[in-house]
Amino acid sequence: MEREGRAVGAASGELVTIGEFARLSRLSAKALRRYDELGLLRPALVDPVNGYRYYDPAQVEGARLVAWLRRIGMPLSRIGRIVALDAGAAAVEIRAYWARVEAETAARRDLAMYLVDHLSAEGRAMSRIPGNTSSAGNTDSAGGTGSRGGRGSSGPGVPDGPGVLGGPVAVPLAIRCAALTDTGAVRTTNQDAAFAGPRLLAVADGFGEGGAEASAAAIEALKPTAWGGGDGALSAADLLNVLEDTADSASRAVRDAVASCADPDGSGTTLTAMLWTGSRLGLVHIGDSRAYLLRGGELFRITHDHSLVQSMIDDGSLSREEAASHPGRALLLKALVGEARSVPVAVACRPDVRLREVLAGDRYLLCSDGLSAVVDEAELRAAVIAAELPEEAVRRLVGLAHEAGGPDNVACVVADVVVAAEEQQPRGR
């Protein structure tokens, strides 16, 4: 009798068969059975005798959401989290997912463009070899697939964009640098870390229970002893491989550092670092710490924040002025974290890597958001220009953060690119 009652309920319109529900939801019966097995979309009723599945028409909207999320390529595991949320929270999750997809696509695009430029340059070099009649001699047009300026996340107007380098610079260059961290005026502990040396510049902004350990571990994994930095200059291709390897090392180091925390998923760090080989500069970046370049009296931001508000600025749904007071301004789309399983806004643990052109006279600023979030870029530029030496510059910058209330920890690095013979000589700006 119970089975008959359920069948009548289905036939009377209270519930519908799997075939009818498939038509309403635009999902196949096969997909519905799979989503039932995975717990994504449970039927309202399963007949205990014959196993027939019946659905409530009110489930159609949820089923269509699953179908749409699959259409944009979202993994089933993440869909399972989203369908359990209310509409507002689900919208935040979907925005965060898509911003991450776009960021990862941009990173792959930069690598593709690097390969185009690198291989085109090789082809042009081959064509200049006497007696070489191969088709590589006709690659000049391929080398013109696009101007480096304006490609990548740095945006138009940034010198060299992500930076693709042809060969070692003619004049030996060196780095003169200084680093400084400060707890700020409000926090009682300092989870920021900074390092400045002849082969590595880095800032990291830790968060969560293991934030201090995470930021320290990320930088430690990038030190020259870890990536083999020495006196010999690396080729562009070799440096790109080194950047990939060290980025992976930093990710592993952070996971290990926060593994013993009560909530390793909620602990991690941002990381913005530059590796210097003596002729080339590689950038490793994840999160919302930043790197700036001062060249020709202009200050350019050369990193792109991996944050929710930055993604909203990018798609035009939020202005920069509105972003400063947005309640989600601290939400990161990418960071180095513990094994992420339940983070409210999912993060990825793979940093962006890029190569950059260097010129004598360049000055670089790396900083955590304890500086960039409270001091505008005009003030940053003025302070970076006014300081004669990097040591003076980092003190000025930390002072500006304190004048703005010092609400967060601060970490900053300032580095000058100088001719190697002048490394020991003070230089006015």
Side-chain angles (χ1 to χ4, degrees), residues 123 125-138:
M126 288 288 291
S127 71
R128 290 192 291 269
I129 297 176
N132 187 344
T133 58
S134 71
S135 60
N138 297 319

Side-chain angles (χ1 to χ4, degrees), residues 78 81 93 96-97 100 104 207 264-269 286-287 306-307 330-350:
R78 185 157 185 169
R81 294 198 300 271
E93 279 279 352
Y97 168 76
R100 173 181 164 182
E104 291 174 348
F207 55 85
D265 291 349
S267 294
T269 185
I286 188 167
H306 299 135
S307 65
L331 293 176
L332 296 175
L333 299 179
K334 294 177 68 175
L336 301 179
V337 295
E339 294 296 342
R341 293 182 296 274
S342 60
V343 181
V345 176
V347 293
C349 62
R350 191 168 186 82

Side-chain angles (χ1 to χ4, degrees), residues 139-171:
T139 58
D140 285 335
S141 62
T145 54
S147 168
R148 287 196 292 267
R151 248 190 358 240
S153 61
S154 300
V158 178
D160 204 39
V164 179
L165 305 167
V169 293
V171 179

Side-chain angles (χ1 to χ4, degrees), residues 238-252:
D238 287 340
L239 179 54
L240 194 65
N241 288 337
V242 166
L243 293 174
E244 294 281 357
D245 291 344
T246 52
D248 289 342
S249 296
S251 297
R252 289 193 298 270

Side-chain angles (χ1 to χ4, degrees), residues 311-328:
S311 73
M312 296 172 73
I313 292 171
D314 293 342
D315 67 21
S317 60
L318 196 68
S319 70
R320 294 189 180 277
E321 293 72 23
E322 292 169 332
S325 58
H326 192 277

